[in-house]
Every structure is written in C-alpha cells, then in structure tokens.
Amino acid sequence: MSMKIGISTSTFFNTVAPEGVFDVLANMRADTTEVCLYTFSDYEKQYVENLASLKRNINVVAVSPMSTQFEPQLFSQNVRVRADAEAIFKKVCYACFAFGAKYYTFRGPINLGGEKNIDPSRYAQRLSQLADIAANYGVSLAVKNVHWSYFPTPDVIKKVLGLCPKLYFALDVYNAEAAGYDFREYLDVCAPNRISHITVTDVVKGVWGLPGNGKFNYDKMFSDLDRRKVTSPILVAVRSDKYSDFLQVRDSYEWLLELYKKFANK
C-alpha cells in the first residue's frame, strides 16, 4: 500500500492568504495538497499563474473552486446563464493545468428542495460534456459527495460513474456522515482507480475537528482502504475555526502521516 498524506488548503481559509499557503505547507513538511480557490478574481489567468509559481515542490492533486458561485448554473436551461458559467468553469480547468493538478473537485447543482429520489440520468449528458471540456486541459472531473448536492449518496455516485465513464470520485468523510452514510459504502460502489482523493476530518466531542483528536478510527480506515486496494491521496481538511494555531494542524498531519507509515510498514 502506497499513498500520499497531505493537507487541503481549505484548512487555512480565512487564516492565510492564498499567496502564503504554500509556505505554511512547506513549514509543516506537507508535500501534497488540494488548492482551493474562493472568488472570481481567484480564477483569473494571471492570478492563477502567479499563485502556481509559488507552489515549490508541493504536489497539487486537485483544484477546488467555490462551486456555489457558478457550478449550479452550468446546468441551467438558459443558454446565456449556462455560457457564462461555462466560461468560469474553463478558467478553473486552466487553473488545474497551471498547478499541474489532475483533478477538478466538482460539486455541481445544489439540491435546495432536499429531493430524495434523485435520477442521475438528468445530469449525465451535461456532466459528460463538462468532462470533455476538462479533458481539453488534461484534467478529469472528480464529483464530490457533498450532502447538499444532487450527488450525495453511494447509490447516486455509483449511477453517475456508470453513466459517465470519464468522471472520477472525490470522497469526503465528513459529507458521507452528513448524508447519513459510512464512507466505506462509497468505496464499495467505486472502483479504486476512479477515486481521485479522500478528504478527512475527525469527530471531537460531537464536533468535526482535526484528525487524531477524536473518535474516528483511522487504523480501520487504512485497513479498509488497503483491503480495497485504494491508494488515493488522503488530505486533512478542516475549518479554520476548529483549531487555535498552526501547530495543532501540523501535529495532526504528522500524527496521521506516522500512523500511515506504521500501517504501511507492517
């Protein structure tokens, strides 16, 4: 079993400017990340290229935009609305290219009505079109199991991946639990080679926080991943209000990394 352990830049939202996040990661000796972009100016070519020039030797697995700003509009019936959203989508695809990221972390439309009986075929044609656009930039779309999206459950993820062979799956442990599922249920419906990356947190006194401080069983997680031959990167991703200083983040990352090394060397 061989996988990378890293930290998503979402962990530093509102605490570190994007231009400084690679320095923070380097100081923590973290060499793998997902770059999160937050606003429209973040998607512009010059800004992206300047930011990419600061990444040092850190491997960027994926780029994740603030999806609610434009991804739902990618599925609009209105041609102009859809075209404007697609222009932003292409900018994020370019950002993936600039960072050398293989994946675009994609959430798609928001399920505002809380619809339960979701038919993925309604979105399959458009998802395939978007996957083709991303492929022009050397990028693959990785649909994330966000609990408020139209792709929240293992069953829906299974159907979407079946309908759209070019899509990948970005597994988020927090969102799996928020949707009412064990993360292993998603692993059971997705081929190992179609999992782009996995973002993890922990449950500390009933609240999601840094790995290593709560009740989440990471030993069992590594065992389950190994049994299923999943070697996708694992990234710590927590909200910045869940820690008081960067030492806590570094300690959590190092704890997870050491735990993985012990498991890998068994």
Side-chain angles (χ1 to χ4, degrees):
M1 182 183 187
S2 176
M3 61 172 53
K4 290 287 189 178
I5 309 296
I7 307 173
S8 170
T9 68
S10 64
T11 302
F12 307 108
F13 181 47
N14 285 338
T15 60
V16 181
E19 293 82 357
V21 75
F22 291 111
D23 287 338
V24 173
L25 290 169
N27 288 337
M28 294 181 182
R29 297 186 292 277
D31 62 2
T32 304
T33 193
E34 169 190 52
V35 168
C36 298
L37 304 175
Y38 301 108
T39 191
F40 297 103
S41 59
D42 285 2
Y43 312 138
E44 295 302 320
K45 186 173 186 286
Q46 184 174 351
Y47 181 83
V48 162
E49 291 178 345
N50 289 340
L51 196 59
S53 72
L54 303 174
K55 74 169 190 166
R56 303 188 179 204
N57 293 321
I58 295 173
N59 174 42
V60 178
V61 174
V63 171
S64 176
M66 188 66 77
S67 65
T68 53
Q69 294 168 338
F70 67 93
E71 286 184 1
Q73 289 72 36
L74 289 167
F75 298 82
S76 174
Q77 296 301 308
N78 185 291
V79 175
R80 291 179 62 236
V81 170
R82 193 167 63 248
D84 284 350
E86 193 171 297
I88 302 173
F89 175 81
K90 290 176 180 177
K91 291 179 181 180
V92 179
C93 289
Y94 177 77
C96 294
F97 169 78
F99 281 105
K102 291 176 60 179
Y103 302 105
Y104 173 137
T105 305
F106 188 82
R107 296 161 183 82
I110 304 171
N111 188 3
L112 291 175
E115 184 179 341
K116 299 296 183 183
N117 298 318
I118 298 169
D119 180 9
S121 65
R122 288 160 46 188
Y123 307 98
Q125 181 178 5
R126 184 56 171 155
L127 284 169
S128 293
Q129 290 173 350
L130 295 171
D132 286 340
I133 293 171
N136 291 330
Y137 295 83
V139 177
S140 296
L141 281 193
V143 176
K144 187 173 181 178
N145 58 305
V146 182
H147 68 277
W148 44 255
S149 75
Y150 276 93
F151 316 117
T153 70
D155 181 59
V156 170
I157 290 294
K158 179 181 180 180
K159 290 176 180 176
V160 165
L161 294 179
L163 291 166
C164 306
K166 291 184 179 180
L167 289 184
Y168 286 76
F169 173 47
L171 172 59
D172 184 89
V173 169
Y174 161 76
N175 275 289
E177 296 279 348
Y181 295 88
D182 188 288
F183 79 93
R184 297 166 188 83
E185 295 179 75
Y186 296 85
L187 297 177
D188 289 339
V189 300
C190 181
N193 63 352
R194 293 185 73 180
I195 300 174
S196 60
H197 56 295
I198 301 170
T199 44
V200 296
T201 53
D202 207 338
V203 183
V204 184
K205 296 181 180 179
V207 178
W208 289 93
L210 288 165
N213 297 312
K215 66 179 184 179
F216 189 83
N217 191 335
Y218 282 95
D219 276 311
K220 190 172 190 313
M221 181 192 76
F222 285 129
S223 178
D224 288 328
L225 294 174
D226 184 50
R227 187 167 65 254
R228 293 171 172 83
K229 302 188 185 308
V230 176
T231 58
S232 310
I234 294 180
L235 306 174
V236 175
V238 301
R239 283 173 29 183
S240 58
D241 61 355
K242 301 306 179 187
Y243 59 86
S244 57
D245 58 61
F246 292 156
L247 287 177
Q248 292 177 332
V249 179
R250 185 201 65 185
D251 289 347
S252 175
Y253 162 69
E254 289 184 345
W255 174 85
L256 188 61
L257 181 60
E258 288 305 310
L259 185 67
Y260 166 67
K261 286 179 178 178
K262 290 178 182 177
F263 180 87
N265 293 329
K266 284 182 180 178

